């Protein structure tokens, strides 16, 4: 009986001890949790059944970099940037280089579109270097499209005479009738006509025998023929040697000798870029060798202001593009035939010692060019 009581007493004591131990552990755990909570820590269980504080997050740690994505977009952005980057670089270096650069320079303002699309694609890929390069390419392309204006002395003398000029390419003579209508309507004093074949020449000389009785011409069929019609007497005829006719002369305007020159070099199509450069170089040499004084150079230059060979002519003769002076840069004159509207100005009127009152273009049905009309004032000495 005593043994049974003793065993029961021992079991009861052991149970109480176990309960106390569990209660003590629970109390300790509660106190530890409260202590860690006061320090901003959390408790998490570990594999051995014990709990410990979780490590604090380091606020100075750098977040992981964004992972590049869309690899095909990155390739597309690079391809879209290639042409604008090449053309903008050649424009900045003042060179026409070789095919396909001269042809692509005619599209320079439009190359901001693929450059802008390349930037959007580069940004989507999250590639920082590619995005930075695309920003540079877009900026360079946009800078290159700013209208060119050479430094020149603007004449301030009194106006001596008002002169209206028309320059037109009549495309193998097909636009002769349209040009004749424009001349009747506009009543210019000087008309520069490219691709004027023998029939075109005969029609214009006969039709305007009274209004424009003086002329200098190069006879030829197809694109070779050209004629310069004038209401002023012409002397000192000179022709710039070229595949297509480029006649010139000296006009007497209000008693002042004015050198007038028609230009029509070969176009820069693949395979004849060297010839195009050579013929524009001859125009440059001719205007550089001309005597000081007023000058008019007009025609189909087959070059835009973005071509280095064209800008070299301006610099050599101290000339300025009348359209630029009239704040009408990039008046598109070609091509008027085909699915696309005209997108480049290759027909120009260049002036020296003239002020410009206005420049506009006229459609010429039958021709793939628009005509350029410039209203000018011949200025006397300052």
């Amino acid at each position: 009986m005593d043994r049974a009581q003793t065993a029961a007493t021992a079991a009861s004591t052991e149970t109480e001890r176990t309960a106390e131990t569990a209660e003590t552990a629970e109390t300790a755990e509660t106190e530890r949790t409260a202590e860690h909570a006061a320090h901003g820590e959390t408790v998490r269980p570990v594999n051995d059944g014990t709990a410990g504080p979780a490590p604090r997050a380091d606020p100075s740690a750098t977040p992981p970099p964004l992972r590049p994505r869309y690899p095909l977009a990155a390739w597309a952005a690079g391809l879209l940037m290639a042409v604008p980057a090449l053309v903008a670089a050649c424009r900045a270096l003042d060179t026409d280089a070789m095919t396909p650069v001269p042809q692509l320079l005619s599209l320079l303002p439009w190359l901001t579109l693929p450059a802008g699309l390349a930037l959007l694609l580069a940004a989507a890929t999250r590639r920082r270097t590619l995005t930075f390069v695309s920003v540079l390419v877009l900026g360079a392309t946009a800078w290159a499209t700013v209208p060119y204006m050479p430094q020149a002395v603007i004449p301030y003398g009194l106006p001596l005479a008002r002169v209206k000029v028309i320059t037109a390419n009549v495309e193998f003579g097909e636009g002769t009738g349209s040009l004749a209508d424009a001349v009747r309507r506009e009543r210019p004093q000087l008309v520069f006509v490219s691709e004027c074949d023998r029939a075109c020449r005969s029609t214009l000389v006969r039709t305007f025998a009274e209004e424009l009785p003086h002329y200098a011409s190069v006879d030829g069929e197809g694109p070779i023929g050209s004629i310069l019609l004038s209401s002023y007497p012409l002397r000192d005829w000179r022709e710039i040697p070229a595949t297509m006719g480029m006649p010139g002369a000296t006009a007497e305007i209000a008693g002042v000798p004015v050198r007038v020159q028609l230009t029509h070099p070969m176009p820069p199509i693949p395979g004849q870029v060297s010839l195009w450069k050579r013929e524009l170089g001859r125009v440059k040499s001719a205007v550089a060798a001309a005597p000081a004084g007023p000058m008019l150079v007009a025609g189909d230059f087959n070059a835009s202001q973005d071509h280095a060979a064209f800008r070299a002519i301006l610099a050599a003769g101290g000339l300025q593009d009348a359209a630029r002076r009239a704040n009408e840069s990039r008046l598109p004159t070609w091509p008027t035939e085909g699915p696309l509207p005209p997108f480049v100005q290759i027909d120009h009127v260049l002036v020296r010692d003239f002020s410009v009152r206005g420049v506009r273009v006229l459609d010429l049905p039958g021709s793939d060019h628009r005509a350029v009309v410039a209203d000018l004032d011949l200025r006397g000495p300052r």
Side-chain angles (χ1 to χ4, degrees):
M1 188 68 179
D2 292 336
R3 289 183 179 177
Q5 290 179 346
T6 301
T9 302
S12 177
T13 302
E14 182 64 24
T15 301
E16 292 176 358
R17 189 178 299 166
T18 301
E20 290 177 358
T21 301
E23 183 178 355
T24 302
E26 183 179 353
T27 302
E29 179 67 17
T30 301
E31 292 176 353
R32 187 165 64 87
T33 301
E35 180 181 356
H36 285 299
H39 289 82
E41 299 175 344
T42 59
V43 178
R44 62 180 181 180
V46 293
N47 292 337
D48 58 1
T50 63
R56 290 185 181 180
D58 184 359
S60 64
T62 303
L66 295 174
R67 296 180 59 189
R69 55 182 180 177
Y70 308 132
L72 292 180
W75 277 100
L79 292 174
L80 286 169
M81 281 192 291
V83 170
L86 171 65
V87 175
C90 290
R91 174 67 177 82
L93 295 172
D94 200 33
T95 177
D96 294 322
M98 61 184 69
T99 298
V101 173
Q103 297 84 5
L104 291 172
L105 278 165
S106 299
L107 301 170
L108 180 55
W110 303 101
L111 294 181
T112 53
L113 298 177
L117 181 57
L119 174 58
L120 293 177
L121 290 174
T125 65
R126 296 181 178 177
R127 298 172 188 259
R128 295 178 181 176
T129 301
L130 182 64
T131 303
F132 177 71
V133 172
S134 64
V135 169
L136 291 181
V137 171
L138 178 58
T141 307
W143 166 84
T145 64
V146 174
Y148 175 72
M149 183 65 150
Q151 297 296 322
V153 177
I154 306 299
Y156 293 100
L158 294 175
L160 302 177
R162 287 194 166 184
V163 181
K164 179 175 286 191
V165 175
I166 292 181
T167 181
N169 181 321
V170 292
E171 192 183 11
F172 301 91
E174 296 296 323
T176 303
S178 300
L179 175 61
D181 292 340
V183 171
R184 292 189 190 97
R185 184 173 61 252
E186 299 290 338
R187 308 178 77 128
Q189 285 75 46
L190 290 166
V191 182
F192 299 76
V193 190
S194 304
E195 298 193 19
C196 183
D197 58 11
R198 290 186 176 90
C200 165
R201 174 183 178 276
S202 176
T203 297
L204 294 178
V205 169
R206 183 180 64 255
T207 302
F208 300 105
E210 294 185 6
E211 299 91 339
L212 303 166
H214 311 283
Y215 63 89
S217 65
V218 173
D219 291 343
E221 293 301 326
I224 296 175
S226 294
I227 189 168
L228 195 168
L229 299 163
S230 172
S231 64
Y232 310 109
L234 298 177
R235 59 178 174 81
D236 191 21
W237 290 19
R238 294 182 189 177
E239 178 185 348
I240 297 177
T243 307
M244 297 181 286
M246 295 199 285
T250 298
E252 292 289 335
I253 304 177
V256 177
V258 178
R259 188 66 194 172
V260 291
Q261 177 66 55
L262 184 149
T263 60
H264 191 205
M266 290 293 285
I269 61 177
Q272 64 180 38
V273 170
S274 296
L275 177 59
W276 169 75
K277 290 182 179 180
R278 185 161 59 249
E279 293 189 352
L280 283 173
R282 290 173 184 167
V283 176
K284 171 187 171 183
S285 298
V287 301
M295 181 184 294
L296 283 170
V297 183
D300 174 9
F301 284 76
N302 277 312
S304 72
Q305 61 176 281
D306 299 312
H307 290 100
F310 176 77
R311 297 192 300 276
I313 293 172
L314 298 177
L319 297 162
Q320 292 188 311
D321 194 331
R324 180 70 182 95
R325 287 281 300 275
N327 295 319
E328 295 288 354
S329 291
R330 301 194 183 280
L331 283 174
T333 62
W334 182 88
T336 60
E337 296 175 343
L340 297 177
F343 58 81
V344 63
Q345 182 184 4
I346 59 176
D347 301 89
H348 306 270
V349 175
L350 309 185
V351 300
R352 185 174 72 192
D353 293 344
F354 282 84
S355 59
V356 181
R357 289 182 287 116
V359 173
R360 51 202 164 85
V361 294
L362 300 175
D363 289 330
L364 287 180
S367 174
D368 60 344
H369 288 248
R370 286 171 168 169
V372 177
V373 182
D375 292 295
L376 312 172
D377 285 329
L378 174 63
R379 294 279 178 170
R382 184 175 178 180

